[in-house]
Structures are given as C-alpha cells and as structure tokens.
Amino acid sequence: MTSVHIPDEAKFVTGVQAIRSPRWPFRKDTFYKMVREGVIEKVFPYPGARPVFSVAQIDKLYANSSDDQSGGQIEV
C-alpha cells in the first residue's frame, strides 16, 4: 500500500487518502468504524458527490490524545 502525503494546507481528504496517510494512526476498519459512529463526519461538497472528511477534525482527534500523554520527566 502506498502512503499518501497530506499537505498542511489541505482542508478535506477522501477516505482512501486518510487511510493511506502516515499522518494518522488508523487502519481501514478503524477509520470506517469512527465514521459509522459519527466521530468523523462525512462532508458532501455537492449533491451526488462522494464524501470527503475534514483534515482539521481528524487532526483534532489525534492532537487531543497526544496532548494527554506527558512523555517528559515528572517534577516532584
């Protein structure tokens, strides 16, 4: 599977782009489960179009989880 680079200025991605990108740590099954559960919302750019997904929304999901982890030394 080829990885897909998502530029910083991108606003929306397709499902395939999101899954193949090394930017987010999920696989196909996890991604679509998150979509079914409403954690990641589908956006339709125009009627009849394939859905796309907000880069900012997905980034926010993973930015919050990484902020919770300290990674440094504990101050006493």
Side-chain angles (χ1 to χ4, degrees):
M1 178 164 56
T2 307
S3 67
V4 176
H5 173 71
I6 307 295
D8 290 336
E9 59 274 358
K11 302 224 183 293
F12 295 95
V13 292
T14 65
V16 172
Q17 289 173 319
I19 293 163
R20 291 187 177 175
S21 173
R23 184 171 179 162
W24 303 297
F26 48 63
R27 296 187 341 212
K28 182 178 179 179
D29 56 341
T30 305
F31 175 76
Y32 285 111
K33 180 180 177 185
M34 293 170 77
V35 171
R36 278 192 311 273
E37 293 175 351
V39 176
I40 298 174
E41 296 179 18
K42 292 180 184 179
V43 176
F44 294 92
Y46 55 89
R50 292 183 181 180
V52 292
F53 306 91
S54 168
V55 171
Q57 182 185 25
I58 300 170
D59 278 345
K60 187 177 178 183
L61 291 171
Y62 287 97
N64 289 342
S65 66
S66 65
D67 289 345
D68 294 341
Q69 299 173 0
S70 70
Q73 294 179 345
I74 298 172
E75 294 183 32
V76 181

